[in-house]
Amino acid sequence: MSIRLFAIPGYVHLFRSLLRFSRLSVGDAAGLVHMLNTANLDSYRDAYPGVPVYENGPLHFSKCLFGAGRPYRTEVQLYKSLEALKRNINYDALTSMQREAVQQMQCVAANLEFDFYKVFGLEIDSPLTVYRQCRNHLLPHEDEPSVCLFEDWVSLPMA
């Protein structure tokens, strides 16, 4: 199993986006993101036992989350980042608290899907959305779409 280790700046994007696009409170979002970070770290340790991994303590991690950073531009980017994180977590390597965080992450993703369908009448991963143009990572590319629908994105004037 190939596990990618995500850096703190990606978790800052995730945290800010959860505040923007989900129903989570600041405290709940911070706690969830911290648990998902440790789940990713533990999964990486499990996949690569000889590789040293540095883990920030909760206080330092929290300070990073509340520092400078911006949310993703769209719900699609958030959804895609949650998928990337899920693929880089080995459920068998997790503690019970981390497993609860993964389940909560899946509920957030399901709520995003539901809300997206209510607004746009499309599945979030439809070819008519910008799903395919968004990166499978916690850190987005600067040139990722700023709108949710592909048709809107291609019709935007180029700077």
Side-chain angles (χ1 to χ4, degrees):
M1 175 184 260
S2 177
I3 302 285
R4 178 187 317 164
L5 192 59
F6 295 113
I8 289 180
Y11 289 101
V12 174
H13 282 290
L14 179 60
F15 171 68
R16 299 284 179 179
S17 300
L18 288 172
L19 295 178
R20 180 177 178 192
F21 296 116
S22 80
R23 298 172 188 93
L24 295 177
S25 68
V26 172
D28 289 344
L32 174 62
V33 170
H34 179 258
M35 290 308 299
L36 294 173
N37 170 252
T38 61
N40 179 235
L41 291 170
D42 288 349
S43 297
Y44 189 85
R45 283 187 193 104
D46 184 64
Y48 308 102
V51 179
V53 176
Y54 176 75
E55 182 173 342
N56 291 296
L59 184 59
H60 181 266
F61 187 81
S62 181
K63 283 182 182 180
C64 292
L65 289 183
F66 289 97
R70 66 168 182 81
Y72 301 120
R73 293 182 186 123
T74 68
E75 301 93 319
V76 179
Q77 286 177 305
L78 173 57
Y79 185 81
K80 197 83 177 234
S81 71
L82 292 173
E83 283 187 332
L85 191 52
K86 183 180 175 187
R87 277 193 288 279
N88 285 280
I89 290 177
N90 176 4
Y91 201 76
D92 294 333
L94 305 183
T95 66
S96 61
M97 288 179 60
Q98 290 167 331
R99 288 178 181 184
E100 287 176 20
V102 169
Q103 289 172 341
Q104 186 177 6
M105 177 185 70
Q106 291 171 323
C107 287
V108 168
N111 286 337
L112 280 172
E113 285 179 296
F114 180 74
D115 292 344
F116 192 89
Y117 189 83
K118 280 192 335 189
V119 170
F120 296 103
L122 296 168
E123 299 294 330
I124 201 165
D125 59 355
S126 165
L128 299 175
T129 70
V130 294
Y131 179 84
R132 292 182 183 156
Q133 285 69 39
C134 294
R135 187 175 184 207
N136 261 335
H137 204 281
L138 296 187
L139 287 174
H141 283 298
E142 282 302 315
D143 62 347
E144 285 189 18
S146 58
V147 294
C148 293
L149 300 180
F150 186 78
E151 180 179 294
D152 293 341
W153 184 53
V154 295
S155 67
L156 285 175
M158 301 308 277

